[in-house]
Amino acid sequence: MKIEKIYAQIVCSEHVASTGWYRSLFARDSDATPMAGLAEWHHGESVGLQLFEDASKAGQQTLTLMVGGLYGEKARLEDAGLYPREIEPADTASLVRLSDPDGNVVVLAQSTHLLATRKRKDESWTR
Protein backbone atom coordinates (compact mmCIF):
# COMPACT_ATOMS: atom_id res chain seq x y z
CA MET A 1 0.00 0.00 0.00
CA LYS A 2 1.34 3.41 -0.98
CA ILE A 3 -0.26 6.06 1.23
CA GLU A 4 -0.52 9.42 -0.48
CA LYS A 5 -2.30 11.45 2.21
CA ILE A 6 -3.36 11.00 5.83
CA TYR A 7 -6.32 12.76 7.43
CA ALA A 8 -6.99 12.91 11.14
CA GLN A 9 -10.70 13.21 11.84
CA ILE A 10 -12.48 15.04 14.62
CA VAL A 11 -16.21 14.55 15.07
CA CYS A 12 -18.46 17.41 16.17
CA SER A 13 -22.11 17.83 17.08
CA GLU A 14 -22.67 21.23 15.43
CA HIS A 15 -20.74 21.80 12.23
CA VAL A 16 -21.05 25.59 11.94
CA ALA A 17 -19.89 26.35 15.50
CA SER A 18 -17.08 23.80 15.36
CA THR A 19 -15.88 25.02 11.97
CA GLY A 20 -15.55 28.50 13.48
CA TRP A 21 -13.56 27.12 16.42
CA TYR A 22 -11.15 25.21 14.15
CA ARG A 23 -10.89 28.27 11.90
CA SER A 24 -9.57 30.12 14.97
CA LEU A 25 -7.29 27.23 15.91
CA PHE A 26 -5.64 27.13 12.47
CA ALA A 27 -5.96 30.90 11.89
CA ARG A 28 -7.56 30.33 8.47
CA ASP A 29 -10.67 29.06 6.75
CA SER A 30 -11.02 25.40 5.81
CA ASP A 31 -9.48 24.40 2.48
CA ALA A 32 -12.37 22.23 1.30
CA THR A 33 -15.94 21.23 2.11
CA PRO A 34 -16.30 18.01 0.09
CA MET A 35 -19.81 17.29 1.37
CA ALA A 36 -22.40 18.55 3.83
CA GLY A 37 -21.15 18.34 7.41
CA LEU A 38 -17.48 17.92 6.42
CA ALA A 39 -14.70 20.55 6.38
CA GLU A 40 -11.04 19.88 5.63
CA TRP A 41 -7.86 21.76 6.49
CA HIS A 42 -4.87 20.68 4.41
CA HIS A 43 -1.41 20.98 5.94
CA GLY A 44 1.13 20.48 3.20
CA GLU A 45 0.72 17.88 0.49
CA SER A 46 0.21 14.79 2.65
CA VAL A 47 -1.52 15.72 5.93
CA GLY A 48 -4.96 17.05 6.71
CA LEU A 49 -7.70 17.35 9.28
CA GLN A 50 -11.32 16.47 8.62
CA LEU A 51 -14.03 17.93 10.84
CA PHE A 52 -17.16 15.79 10.49
CA GLU A 53 -20.60 16.31 12.02
CA ASP A 54 -21.94 13.25 13.88
CA ALA A 55 -23.49 14.19 17.23
CA SER A 56 -23.53 10.57 18.44
CA LYS A 57 -19.70 10.39 18.38
CA ALA A 58 -18.75 13.98 19.19
CA GLY A 59 -16.43 14.80 22.07
CA GLN A 60 -14.52 11.50 22.16
CA GLN A 61 -11.38 12.32 20.16
CA THR A 62 -7.91 13.67 20.84
CA LEU A 63 -5.82 15.44 18.22
CA THR A 64 -2.11 16.06 18.79
CA LEU A 65 -0.36 18.66 16.66
CA MET A 66 3.43 19.06 16.77
CA VAL A 67 4.20 22.78 16.45
CA GLY A 68 7.13 25.15 16.48
CA GLY A 69 6.84 28.08 18.87
CA LEU A 70 4.60 26.62 21.57
CA TYR A 71 4.65 29.80 23.67
CA GLY A 72 3.71 31.93 20.68
CA GLU A 73 0.90 29.55 19.68
CA LYS A 74 -0.47 29.54 23.23
CA ALA A 75 -0.55 33.35 23.24
CA ARG A 76 -2.25 33.42 19.82
CA LEU A 77 -4.89 30.94 21.01
CA GLU A 78 -5.53 33.03 24.13
CA ASP A 79 -5.95 36.12 21.95
CA ALA A 80 -8.42 34.16 19.77
CA GLY A 81 -10.50 33.27 22.85
CA LEU A 82 -9.84 29.51 22.73
CA TYR A 83 -8.70 29.14 26.38
CA PRO A 84 -5.61 26.93 26.21
CA ARG A 85 -4.46 25.50 29.54
CA GLU A 86 -1.01 26.13 30.97
CA ILE A 87 2.06 24.72 29.23
CA GLU A 88 3.00 21.33 30.67
CA PRO A 89 6.75 20.63 30.55
CA ALA A 90 7.85 17.02 30.08
CA ASP A 91 11.05 15.12 29.32
CA THR A 92 10.77 14.96 25.53
CA ALA A 93 8.03 17.46 24.64
CA SER A 94 6.17 20.28 26.28
CA LEU A 95 2.48 20.60 25.56
CA VAL A 96 -0.62 22.68 25.99
CA ARG A 97 -4.14 21.25 25.94
CA LEU A 98 -7.41 22.85 24.98
CA SER A 99 -10.91 21.57 24.28
CA ASP A 100 -13.14 22.26 21.32
CA PRO A 101 -16.86 23.07 21.77
CA ASP A 102 -17.72 19.34 22.03
CA GLY A 103 -14.96 18.47 24.49
CA ASN A 104 -12.58 16.88 21.97
CA VAL A 105 -9.06 17.49 23.24
CA VAL A 106 -6.52 19.28 21.07
CA VAL A 107 -2.92 19.00 22.22
CA LEU A 108 -0.20 21.26 20.86
CA ALA A 109 3.25 19.82 21.52
CA GLN A 110 6.81 20.91 20.86
CA SER A 111 10.05 19.02 21.34
CA THR A 112 11.58 20.04 24.66
CA HIS A 113 14.98 20.39 22.96
CA LEU A 114 13.57 22.74 20.31
CA LEU A 115 11.61 24.68 22.92
CA ALA A 116 14.73 25.28 25.04
CA THR A 117 16.72 26.33 21.95
CA ARG A 118 14.06 28.84 20.91
CA LYS A 119 13.78 30.27 24.43
CA ARG A 120 17.53 30.96 24.45
CA LYS A 121 17.40 32.62 21.03
CA ASP A 122 14.40 34.83 21.72
CA GLU A 123 13.27 35.84 25.19
CA SER A 124 9.80 36.63 23.85
CA TRP A 125 9.07 32.88 23.91
CA THR A 126 8.87 33.05 27.69
CA ARG A 127 5.63 35.01 27.48
Side-chain angles (χ1 to χ4, degrees):
M1 173 189 319
K2 181 179 181 270
I3 297 172
E4 295 181 4
K5 193 162 192 166
I6 294 176
Y7 285 98
Q9 187 177 80
I10 293 289
V11 181
C12 65
S13 62
E14 210 292 304
H15 192 258
V16 173
S18 292
T19 299
W21 192 90
Y22 282 90
R23 181 183 307 117
S24 295
L25 177 70
F26 294 126
R28 63 187 176 90
D29 288 330
S30 62
D31 296 301
T33 51
M35 58 188 259
L38 177 65
E40 293 180 350
W41 283 265
H42 305 151
H43 300 277
E45 294 295 318
S46 60
V47 178
L49 173 78
Q50 292 183 321
L51 178 65
F52 184 67
E53 184 175 30
D54 181 348
S56 70
K57 296 179 183 169
Q60 301 175 34
Q61 289 85 42
T62 298
L63 173 67
T64 301
L65 304 169
M66 298 300 293
V67 299
L70 186 61
Y71 282 84
E73 286 298 326
K74 180 180 184 292
R76 184 185 65 78
L77 296 172
E78 288 171 337
D79 291 345
L82 297 187
Y83 308 106
R85 296 181 193 112
E86 293 303 313
I87 292 177
E88 302 172 40
D91 291 340
T92 59
S94 291
L95 56 95
V96 62
R97 302 171 204 256
L98 59 159
S99 298
D100 75 6
D102 287 297
N104 294 308
V105 177
V106 176
V107 178
L108 302 183
Q110 182 176 10
S111 162
T112 301
H113 170 72
L114 294 176
L115 187 62
T117 301
R118 281 209 154 145
K119 278 176 137 177
R120 284 193 299 272
K121 287 182 179 180
D122 181 358
E123 289 301 316
S124 69
W125 290 103
T126 60
R127 185 177 185 187

